[in-house]
Amino acid sequence: MKMLIEGGTVIDPAAGFEGPADLVIENGKIAGIVKPGAGPKDSEIITAKGCIICPGLVDIHTHLREPGYEYKETIATGSRAAAAGGVTSMACMANTNPVNDNGSVTEFILKQARAYAVVRVYPIGAVTKGQQGEALAEIGDMREAGAVALSDDGSVVADSDLMRRGLEYAKTFGLCVVTHSEDMSLVGEGVMNEGFVSTELGLPAAPHEAEEIMIFRDVTLAALTGARVHIAHVTTSGGVQIIREAKKRGIAVTAETCPHYITLTDDAVRTFDTNTKVNPPLRTQDDVDAVIEGLADGTIDAVASDHAPHVNDDKEVEFIYAKSGMIGLETLLPLSLALVEQKKLSMSRLIRALTELPAGIISIDAGTLKTGAGADVTVFDPTEEWVYDVSKSLSKSRNTPFAGAAMRGRVKLTVVGGKVVYRDGTIV
Ligand code: DOR
């Protein structure tokens, strides 16, 4: 089985390649990047004229809601939304029901993924039992079952001593800990960022320091334990600065941000659209600028979707009662591409933040088009303009503030292990 994707520009930051080229796939593996027109003609030929051919995107922060909340999303539906977004590998958070805090839940997720997912699914196990922050979860058991990282995301490991022990165990098992860095005692009843907008709206709010205090704690514990810490969804200028300093000191810390934190500010909450309610909250323009700068200089390694599906019942309530989160798999790439359009990030830096670097953070074999690698490929047209019609989303949920928004850059083809799983708007 040979496939030739031709006529586009290949960008593979991991291999240091960028230029007009064709991609040859054979038996589910990358057989090579060749000069335009030099690929084998006895292949299935896919034209990628005007498009970018890059490694399949790796999204290390999603909530697939299975087991327990299948009415919001399942591994099957989440994986279809991923394929439509050009995502070929994704890690899913442990805040399911039951929580993924032991090997049998991890195994269940992988079993469902093998049976129903159209992209690769990598479970993240909880740090603490039931994500209750009281006792460590079955870390070795989950590792053995296939967990790629640990996180209490959706909740926070508030107890610093327990976090220290979790990091020590994680290190022993070669796992990284993905933190949800927010001091919930300082967040209190806050439902948005504390500042001008919250004052005008009269909504209870939380200061950005709530995030910064915990990022500082988490990088400090990384230094103490020597464990690998990955800071999820960084949103504040102060947080970026703490991570930058930590990296300078040689601490094993990586970080991610999400498309909504680099495209929206707390101004979006003025609509009272509950889809703008996320955890941590949307911040100010100064924060957005600092986070983008952090991405550009490598302080922030990766962009992840934090795809967090919720149903109408969770969102069609007063702002203070609404659940936090927005779906994001299908808009991950076009929203991020805005930074390239605005010349704040180079195309190859963005692709690296969506492929090679996140793959490295969760230590999976993905994110490159090197010869011999599994043929996970995304082809997108960086200039196609389209409108996000969320009623056609492949996710089960519809909670996004980007419904009806104009997008630039569209995924045309998603290939997983040499098989086309999505092409021109349709799951294959
Ligand atoms: O907004 C959020 N939603 N932040 C989280 O940390 C969890 C997530 C969810 O699970 O809905």
Side-chain angles (χ1 to χ4, degrees), residues 115-178:
Y116 304 112
V118 297
V119 306
R120 304 181 201 272
V121 175
Y122 294 95
I124 293 179
V127 179
T128 71
K129 273 197 184 121
Q131 294 191 316
Q132 293 297 305
E134 282 160 12
L136 290 183
E138 310 267 355
I139 293 172
D141 192 31
M142 289 187 289
R143 169 84 182 104
E144 207 160 297
V148 293
L150 301 172
S151 183
D152 269 10
D153 179 73
S155 182
V156 177
V157 185
D159 184 315
S160 299
D161 182 54
L162 193 59
M163 187 61 158
R164 175 194 183 171
R165 304 294 163 211
L167 286 168
E168 284 167 351
Y169 268 81
K171 188 182 172 195
T172 309
F173 289 103
L175 295 170
C176 115
V177 173
V178 181

Short mmCIF file of all heavy atoms in Angstrom, two decimals, residues 115-178:
data_model
loop_
_atom_site.label_atom_id
_atom_site.label_comp_id
_atom_site.label_asym_id
_atom_site.label_seq_id
_atom_site.Cartn_x
_atom_site.Cartn_y
_atom_site.Cartn_z
N ALA A 115 -11.28 0.13 19.89
CA ALA A 115 -12.50 -0.29 19.21
C ALA A 115 -13.15 0.84 18.40
O ALA A 115 -13.71 0.59 17.34
CB ALA A 115 -13.49 -0.84 20.25
N TYR A 116 -13.10 2.06 18.90
CA TYR A 116 -13.94 3.11 18.30
C TYR A 116 -13.23 4.37 17.84
O TYR A 116 -13.83 5.18 17.14
CB TYR A 116 -15.03 3.53 19.30
CG TYR A 116 -15.88 2.38 19.76
CD1 TYR A 116 -15.84 1.94 21.08
CD2 TYR A 116 -16.73 1.73 18.87
CE1 TYR A 116 -16.62 0.87 21.51
CE2 TYR A 116 -17.50 0.66 19.28
CZ TYR A 116 -17.45 0.23 20.60
OH TYR A 116 -18.20 -0.82 21.00
N ALA A 117 -11.97 4.59 18.25
CA ALA A 117 -11.35 5.88 17.92
C ALA A 117 -10.73 5.84 16.54
O ALA A 117 -10.21 4.81 16.11
CB ALA A 117 -10.29 6.23 18.96
N VAL A 118 -10.78 6.98 15.84
CA VAL A 118 -10.15 7.07 14.53
C VAL A 118 -8.77 7.73 14.60
O VAL A 118 -8.09 7.85 13.60
CB VAL A 118 -11.05 7.81 13.51
CG1 VAL A 118 -12.35 7.05 13.29
CG2 VAL A 118 -11.34 9.24 13.93
N VAL A 119 -8.39 8.19 15.79
CA VAL A 119 -7.02 8.71 15.98
C VAL A 119 -6.43 8.01 17.21
O VAL A 119 -7.11 7.26 17.90
CB VAL A 119 -6.99 10.25 16.18
CG1 VAL A 119 -7.70 10.96 15.04
CG2 VAL A 119 -7.60 10.67 17.51
N ARG A 120 -5.18 8.27 17.49
CA ARG A 120 -4.51 7.62 18.64
C ARG A 120 -4.89 8.33 19.94
O ARG A 120 -4.86 9.56 20.01
CB ARG A 120 -3.00 7.65 18.46
CG ARG A 120 -2.54 7.02 17.14
CD ARG A 120 -1.01 7.07 17.03
NE ARG A 120 -0.57 6.95 15.65
CZ ARG A 120 -0.33 5.79 15.03
NH1 ARG A 120 -0.48 4.65 15.68
NH2 ARG A 120 0.07 5.77 13.77
N VAL A 121 -5.22 7.55 20.94
CA VAL A 121 -5.66 8.11 22.23
C VAL A 121 -4.69 7.65 23.33
O VAL A 121 -4.40 6.46 23.44
CB VAL A 121 -7.10 7.65 22.56
CG1 VAL A 121 -7.52 8.11 23.95
CG2 VAL A 121 -8.08 8.18 21.51
N TYR A 122 -4.21 8.60 24.11
CA TYR A 122 -3.26 8.30 25.19
C TYR A 122 -3.83 8.79 26.52
O TYR A 122 -3.99 10.00 26.73
CB TYR A 122 -1.93 9.02 24.92
CG TYR A 122 -1.23 8.49 23.69
CD1 TYR A 122 -1.39 9.10 22.44
CD2 TYR A 122 -0.41 7.36 23.76
CE1 TYR A 122 -0.76 8.60 21.31
CE2 TYR A 122 0.22 6.85 22.63
CZ TYR A 122 0.04 7.48 21.41
OH TYR A 122 0.67 6.99 20.29
N PRO A 123 -4.15 7.88 27.42
CA PRO A 123 -4.76 8.30 28.70
C PRO A 123 -3.74 8.94 29.65
O PRO A 123 -2.59 8.50 29.75
CB PRO A 123 -5.27 6.99 29.31
CG PRO A 123 -5.03 5.91 28.30
CD PRO A 123 -4.04 6.42 27.31
N ILE A 124 -4.20 9.97 30.32
CA ILE A 124 -3.44 10.59 31.42
C ILE A 124 -4.10 10.13 32.71
O ILE A 124 -5.32 10.24 32.85
CB ILE A 124 -3.45 12.13 31.29
CG1 ILE A 124 -2.67 12.55 30.04
CG2 ILE A 124 -2.86 12.78 32.55
CD1 ILE A 124 -2.62 14.06 29.80
N GLY A 125 -3.32 9.60 33.63
CA GLY A 125 -3.87 9.12 34.89
C GLY A 125 -3.91 10.24 35.93
O GLY A 125 -3.21 11.25 35.80
N ALA A 126 -4.71 10.04 36.96
CA ALA A 126 -4.81 11.05 38.03
C ALA A 126 -3.57 10.98 38.93
O ALA A 126 -2.92 9.94 39.04
CB ALA A 126 -6.06 10.80 38.85
N VAL A 127 -3.26 12.09 39.57
CA VAL A 127 -2.19 12.11 40.58
C VAL A 127 -2.74 11.54 41.88
O VAL A 127 -2.08 10.76 42.56
CB VAL A 127 -1.66 13.55 40.82
CG1 VAL A 127 -0.56 13.56 41.87
CG2 VAL A 127 -1.14 14.16 39.51
N THR A 128 -3.97 11.93 42.22
CA THR A 128 -4.52 11.50 43.51
C THR A 128 -5.81 10.69 43.30
O THR A 128 -6.50 10.86 42.29
CB THR A 128 -4.81 12.70 44.45
OG1 THR A 128 -5.92 13.44 43.95
CG2 THR A 128 -3.60 13.61 44.58
N LYS A 129 -6.09 9.83 44.25
CA LYS A 129 -7.29 8.97 44.20
C LYS A 129 -8.54 9.82 44.05
O LYS A 129 -8.79 10.72 44.87
CB LYS A 129 -7.41 8.18 45.51
CG LYS A 129 -6.65 6.90 45.47
CD LYS A 129 -7.09 5.93 46.58
CE LYS A 129 -6.18 4.72 46.50
NZ LYS A 129 -5.42 4.46 47.72
N GLY A 130 -9.31 9.52 43.03
CA GLY A 130 -10.57 10.25 42.80
C GLY A 130 -10.34 11.73 42.55
O GLY A 130 -11.27 12.51 42.60
N GLN A 131 -9.10 12.11 42.29
CA GLN A 131 -8.72 13.54 42.16
C GLN A 131 -9.19 14.32 43.38
O GLN A 131 -9.56 15.50 43.29
CB GLN A 131 -9.28 14.15 40.87
CG GLN A 131 -8.70 13.54 39.60
CD GLN A 131 -9.05 14.32 38.36
OE1 GLN A 131 -10.20 14.72 38.20
NE2 GLN A 131 -8.10 14.52 37.46
N GLN A 132 -9.15 13.63 44.53
CA GLN A 132 -9.62 14.27 45.76
C GLN A 132 -8.52 15.02 46.50
O GLN A 132 -8.76 15.69 47.51
CB GLN A 132 -10.23 13.20 46.70
CG GLN A 132 -11.51 12.56 46.16
CD GLN A 132 -12.64 13.57 46.00
OE1 GLN A 132 -12.99 14.25 46.95
NE2 GLN A 132 -13.16 13.68 44.80
N GLY A 133 -7.27 14.84 46.03
CA GLY A 133 -6.16 15.56 46.66
C GLY A 133 -5.80 15.07 48.05
O GLY A 133 -5.22 15.81 48.84
N GLU A 134 -6.15 13.79 48.34
CA GLU A 134 -5.89 13.29 49.70
C GLU A 134 -4.87 12.16 49.76
O GLU A 134 -4.10 12.06 50.71
CB GLU A 134 -7.21 12.84 50.34
CG GLU A 134 -8.01 14.03 50.84
CD GLU A 134 -9.47 13.75 51.04
OE1 GLU A 134 -9.86 12.55 51.01
OE2 GLU A 134 -10.23 14.72 51.19
N ALA A 135 -4.87 11.29 48.76
CA ALA A 135 -3.92 10.17 48.74
C ALA A 135 -3.52 9.90 47.30
O ALA A 135 -4.31 10.15 46.38
CB ALA A 135 -4.57 8.93 49.34
N LEU A 136 -2.31 9.40 47.11
CA LEU A 136 -1.84 9.17 45.74
C LEU A 136 -2.65 8.08 45.05
O LEU A 136 -3.09 7.12 45.68
CB LEU A 136 -0.37 8.78 45.74
CG LEU A 136 0.63 9.89 46.10
CD1 LEU A 136 2.06 9.38 45.99
CD2 LEU A 136 0.44 11.12 45.22
N ALA A 137 -2.85 8.25 43.74
CA ALA A 137 -3.53 7.24 42.93
C ALA A 137 -2.57 6.07 42.67
O ALA A 137 -1.41 6.09 43.08
CB ALA A 137 -3.97 7.88 41.62
N GLU A 138 -3.07 5.05 41.96
CA GLU A 138 -2.28 3.84 41.68
C GLU A 138 -1.35 4.13 40.50
O GLU A 138 -1.60 3.69 39.36
CB GLU A 138 -3.22 2.69 41.33
CG GLU A 138 -4.35 2.47 42.31
CD GLU A 138 -4.00 1.44 43.36
OE1 GLU A 138 -2.91 0.85 43.26
OE2 GLU A 138 -4.81 1.25 44.26
N ILE A 139 -0.28 4.84 40.78
CA ILE A 139 0.55 5.37 39.70
C ILE A 139 1.23 4.26 38.87
O ILE A 139 1.16 4.26 37.64
CB ILE A 139 1.57 6.40 40.26
CG1 ILE A 139 0.80 7.63 40.76
CG2 ILE A 139 2.61 6.79 39.21
CD1 ILE A 139 1.62 8.66 41.52
N GLY A 140 1.85 3.30 39.56
CA GLY A 140 2.54 2.23 38.83
C GLY A 140 1.56 1.40 38.01
O GLY A 140 1.85 1.02 36.86
N ASP A 141 0.41 1.12 38.60
CA ASP A 141 -0.65 0.35 37.93
C ASP A 141 -1.10 1.04 36.63
O ASP A 141 -1.23 0.41 35.58
CB ASP A 141 -1.81 0.29 38.94
CG ASP A 141 -2.88 -0.71 38.56
OD1 ASP A 141 -2.55 -1.73 37.93
OD2 ASP A 141 -4.05 -0.45 38.90
N MET A 142 -1.28 2.36 36.71
CA MET A 142 -1.73 3.11 35.53
C MET A 142 -0.62 3.15 34.48
O MET A 142 -0.87 3.03 33.29
CB MET A 142 -2.13 4.54 35.92
CG MET A 142 -3.42 4.59 36.73
SD MET A 142 -3.97 6.28 37.01
CE MET A 142 -2.76 6.88 38.17
N ARG A 143 0.61 3.30 34.95
CA ARG A 143 1.76 3.32 34.02
C ARG A 143 1.82 2.00 33.25
O ARG A 143 1.96 1.99 32.03
CB ARG A 143 3.06 3.53 34.81
CG ARG A 143 4.32 3.32 34.01
CD ARG A 143 4.68 4.59 33.25
NE ARG A 143 5.85 4.43 32.42
CZ ARG A 143 5.81 4.28 31.09
NH1 ARG A 143 4.66 4.27 30.46
NH2 ARG A 143 6.93 4.17 30.40
N GLU A 144 1.67 0.92 33.99
CA GLU A 144 1.72 -0.40 33.37
C GLU A 144 0.59 -0.59 32.36
O GLU A 144 0.75 -1.19 31.30
CB GLU A 144 1.61 -1.47 34.45
CG GLU A 144 2.26 -2.78 34.07
CD GLU A 144 2.53 -3.60 35.31
OE1 GLU A 144 3.32 -3.14 36.16
OE2 GLU A 144 1.92 -4.66 35.43
N ALA A 145 -0.57 0.01 32.67
CA ALA A 145 -1.73 -0.13 31.77
C ALA A 145 -1.62 0.78 30.55
O ALA A 145 -2.38 0.62 29.59
CB ALA A 145 -3.01 0.17 32.54
N GLY A 146 -0.71 1.77 30.60
CA GLY A 146 -0.53 2.60 29.40
C GLY A 146 -0.73 4.10 29.60
O GLY A 146 -0.78 4.84 28.62
N ALA A 147 -0.82 4.56 30.86
CA ALA A 147 -0.93 6.01 31.07
C ALA A 147 0.39 6.68 30.66
O ALA A 147 1.46 6.14 30.93
CB ALA A 147 -1.25 6.32 32.53
N VAL A 148 0.29 7.84 30.00
CA VAL A 148 1.50 8.51 29.50
C VAL A 148 1.94 9.68 30.37
O VAL A 148 3.02 10.23 30.17
CB VAL A 148 1.30 9.01 28.05
CG1 VAL A 148 1.15 7.85 27.08
CG2 VAL A 148 0.12 9.97 27.95
N ALA A 149 1.09 10.11 31.29
CA ALA A 149 1.41 11.23 32.18
C ALA A 149 0.40 11.19 33.32
O ALA A 149 -0.52 10.36 33.32
CB ALA A 149 1.31 12.56 31.43
N LEU A 150 0.60 12.07 34.29
CA LEU A 150 -0.32 12.14 35.44
C LEU A 150 -0.84 13.56 35.59
O LEU A 150 -0.09 14.52 35.39
CB LEU A 150 0.43 11.77 36.72
CG LEU A 150 1.07 10.38 36.75
CD1 LEU A 150 1.94 10.23 37.99
CD2 LEU A 150 0.01 9.28 36.71
N SER A 151 -2.11 13.69 35.94
CA SER A 151 -2.67 15.03 36.16
C SER A 151 -3.97 14.95 36.94
O SER A 151 -4.79 14.06 36.72
CB SER A 151 -2.93 15.72 34.83
OG SER A 151 -3.40 17.04 35.06
N ASP A 152 -4.17 15.93 37.82
CA ASP A 152 -5.47 16.08 38.48
C ASP A 152 -6.26 17.20 37.81
O ASP A 152 -7.20 17.75 38.39
CB ASP A 152 -5.30 16.39 39.99
CG ASP A 152 -5.29 15.10 40.82
OD1 ASP A 152 -5.23 14.01 40.22
OD2 ASP A 152 -5.35 15.19 42.07
N ASP A 153 -5.88 17.54 36.56
CA ASP A 153 -6.52 18.67 35.86
C ASP A 153 -8.04 18.60 35.93
O ASP A 153 -8.65 17.54 35.83
CB ASP A 153 -6.10 18.68 34.39
CG ASP A 153 -6.77 19.82 33.62
OD1 ASP A 153 -6.37 20.97 33.83
OD2 ASP A 153 -7.71 19.55 32.85
N GLY A 154 -8.62 19.77 36.07
CA GLY A 154 -10.06 19.85 36.34
C GLY A 154 -10.21 20.09 37.82
O GLY A 154 -11.16 20.69 38.30
N SER A 155 -9.19 19.63 38.54
CA SER A 155 -9.08 19.84 39.97
C SER A 155 -7.60 20.19 40.20
O SER A 155 -6.82 20.21 39.25
CB SER A 155 -9.51 18.53 40.61
OG SER A 155 -9.48 18.63 41.96
N VAL A 156 -7.24 20.45 41.44
CA VAL A 156 -5.87 20.90 41.72
C VAL A 156 -5.31 20.08 42.87
O VAL A 156 -6.04 19.77 43.81
CB VAL A 156 -5.89 22.40 42.11
CG1 VAL A 156 -4.51 22.90 42.48
CG2 VAL A 156 -6.47 23.26 40.99
N VAL A 157 -4.03 19.72 42.80
CA VAL A 157 -3.40 19.09 43.97
C VAL A 157 -2.98 20.23 44.90
O VAL A 157 -1.93 20.84 44.73
CB VAL A 157 -2.18 18.23 43.59
CG1 VAL A 157 -1.64 17.49 44.82
CG2 VAL A 157 -2.53 17.24 42.48
N ALA A 158 -3.85 20.55 45.86
CA ALA A 158 -3.62 21.73 46.70
C ALA A 158 -2.52 21.48 47.74
O ALA A 158 -1.75 22.37 48.07
CB ALA A 158 -4.92 22.11 47.41
N ASP A 159 -2.43 20.24 48.21
CA ASP A 159 -1.49 19.89 49.28
C ASP A 159 -0.08 19.75 48.70
O ASP A 159 0.19 18.84 47.92
CB ASP A 159 -1.98 18.58 49.92
CG ASP A 159 -1.13 18.16 51.11
OD1 ASP A 159 0.11 18.22 51.00
OD2 ASP A 159 -1.72 17.76 52.13
N SER A 160 0.81 20.64 49.11
CA SER A 160 2.16 20.66 48.52
C SER A 160 2.96 19.41 48.85
O SER A 160 3.76 18.94 48.05
CB SER A 160 2.92 21.91 48.98
OG SER A 160 2.23 23.05 48.57
N ASP A 161 2.75 18.86 50.04
CA ASP A 161 3.49 17.65 50.40
C ASP A 161 3.03 16.48 49.52
O ASP A 161 3.85 15.70 49.03
CB ASP A 161 3.29 17.31 51.89
CG ASP A 161 4.09 16.08 52.28
OD1 ASP A 161 5.32 16.08 52.03
OD2 ASP A 161 3.49 15.11 52.79
N LEU A 162 1.73 16.39 49.29
CA LEU A 162 1.20 15.32 48.44
C LEU A 162 1.70 15.50 47.00
O LEU A 162 2.06 14.53 46.33
CB LEU A 162 -0.33 15.33 48.49
CG LEU A 162 -1.03 14.10 47.90
CD1 LEU A 162 -0.59 12.82 48.61
CD2 LEU A 162 -2.54 14.27 48.01
N MET A 163 1.75 16.73 46.55
CA MET A 163 2.27 17.01 45.21
C MET A 163 3.74 16.57 45.14
O MET A 163 4.17 15.95 44.16
CB MET A 163 2.14 18.50 44.89
CG MET A 163 2.51 18.85 43.46
SD MET A 163 1.44 18.01 42.25
CE MET A 163 1.63 19.08 40.84
N ARG A 164 4.49 16.85 46.20
CA ARG A 164 5.89 16.43 46.21
C ARG A 164 5.99 14.92 46.07
O ARG A 164 6.77 14.40 45.27
CB ARG A 164 6.53 16.88 47.53
CG ARG A 164 7.95 16.37 47.67
CD ARG A 164 8.50 16.51 49.08
NE ARG A 164 9.88 16.05 49.09
CZ ARG A 164 10.70 16.20 50.12
NH1 ARG A 164 10.28 16.79 51.22
NH2 ARG A 164 11.93 15.76 50.04
N ARG A 165 5.17 14.19 46.85
CA ARG A 165 5.21 12.71 46.78
C ARG A 165 4.78 12.24 45.39
O ARG A 165 5.34 11.30 44.84
CB ARG A 165 4.28 12.09 47.82
CG ARG A 165 4.55 12.51 49.26
CD ARG A 165 5.88 12.02 49.79
NE ARG A 165 6.24 12.77 50.99
CZ ARG A 165 7.48 13.05 51.37
NH1 ARG A 165 8.52 12.63 50.66
NH2 ARG A 165 7.71 13.74 52.46
N GLY A 166 3.77 12.88 44.84
CA GLY A 166 3.30 12.51 43.50
C GLY A 166 4.41 12.69 42.47
O GLY A 166 4.62 11.83 41.60
N LEU A 167 5.15 13.77 42.60
CA LEU A 167 6.25 14.04 41.67
C LEU A 167 7.36 13.00 41.84
O LEU A 167 7.93 12.52 40.85
CB LEU A 167 6.80 15.45 41.90
CG LEU A 167 5.90 16.58 41.40
CD1 LEU A 167 6.36 17.93 41.93
CD2 LEU A 167 5.88 16.61 39.88
N GLU A 168 7.62 12.63 43.10
CA GLU A 168 8.66 11.63 43.33
C GLU A 168 8.27 10.29 42.70
O GLU A 168 9.08 9.63 42.05
CB GLU A 168 8.92 11.47 44.84
CG GLU A 168 9.73 12.64 45.40
CD GLU A 168 9.77 12.72 46.92
OE1 GLU A 168 9.02 11.95 47.59
OE2 GLU A 168 10.54 13.53 47.44
N TYR A 169 7.01 9.89 42.88
CA TYR A 169 6.53 8.64 42.28
C TYR A 169 6.56 8.74 40.76
O TYR A 169 6.98 7.82 40.07
CB TYR A 169 5.10 8.32 42.75
CG TYR A 169 5.07 7.43 43.96
CD1 TYR A 169 5.26 7.97 45.22
CD2 TYR A 169 4.88 6.06 43.83
CE1 TYR A 169 5.25 7.17 46.34
CE2 TYR A 169 4.87 5.24 44.95
CZ TYR A 169 5.04 5.80 46.21
OH TYR A 169 5.04 5.01 47.31
N ALA A 170 6.08 9.87 40.25
CA ALA A 170 6.03 10.05 38.79
C ALA A 170 7.43 9.90 38.21
O ALA A 170 7.63 9.25 37.18
CB ALA A 170 5.47 11.43 38.46
N LYS A 171 8.40 10.47 38.90
CA LYS A 171 9.79 10.40 38.43
C LYS A 171 10.26 8.94 38.38
O LYS A 171 10.86 8.49 37.41
CB LYS A 171 10.67 11.23 39.35
CG LYS A 171 12.09 11.37 38.85
CD LYS A 171 12.93 12.15 39.83
CE LYS A 171 14.39 12.11 39.40
NZ LYS A 171 15.27 12.53 40.49
N THR A 172 9.95 8.20 39.45
CA THR A 172 10.34 6.79 39.51
C THR A 172 9.78 6.03 38.31
O THR A 172 10.42 5.15 37.76
CB THR A 172 9.76 6.14 40.80
OG1 THR A 172 10.13 6.98 41.88
CG2 THR A 172 10.27 4.75 41.02
N PHE A 173 8.56 6.38 37.90
CA PHE A 173 7.92 5.66 36.80
C PHE A 173 8.14 6.34 35.44
O PHE A 173 7.54 5.95 34.45
CB PHE A 173 6.41 5.50 37.08
CG PHE A 173 6.14 4.52 38.19
CD1 PHE A 173 5.80 4.97 39.45
CD2 PHE A 173 6.23 3.16 37.96
CE1 PHE A 173 5.57 4.07 40.49
CE2 PHE A 173 6.00 2.25 38.98
CZ PHE A 173 5.66 2.70 40.25
N GLY A 174 8.99 7.34 35.41
CA GLY A 174 9.32 7.99 34.14
C GLY A 174 8.18 8.80 33.56
O GLY A 174 8.13 9.01 32.35
N LEU A 175 7.25 9.24 34.41
CA LEU A 175 6.10 10.00 33.91
C LEU A 175 6.24 11.48 34.23
O LEU A 175 6.85 11.84 35.25
CB LEU A 175 4.80 9.50 34.55
CG LEU A 175 4.39 8.06 34.21
CD1 LEU A 175 3.24 7.63 35.11
CD2 LEU A 175 3.99 7.94 32.74
N CYS A 176 5.66 12.32 33.39
CA CYS A 176 5.64 13.74 33.72
C CYS A 176 4.31 14.07 34.39
O CYS A 176 3.31 13.40 34.17
CB CYS A 176 5.94 14.54 32.47
SG CYS A 176 4.70 15.58 31.84
N VAL A 177 4.31 15.08 35.25
CA VAL A 177 3.07 15.50 35.90
C VAL A 177 2.58 16.79 35.24
O VAL A 177 3.32 17.77 35.14
CB VAL A 177 3.27 15.71 37.42
CG1 VAL A 177 2.01 16.32 38.05
CG2 VAL A 177 3.61 14.39 38.09
N VAL A 178 1.36 16.75 34.75
CA VAL A 178 0.75 17.92 34.11
C VAL A 178 -0.05 18.63 35.20
O VAL A 178 -0.99 18.07 35.76
CB VAL A 178 -0.19 17.48 32.97
CG1 VAL A 178 -0.80 18.70 32.29
CG2 VAL A 178 0.56 16.62 31.95
#
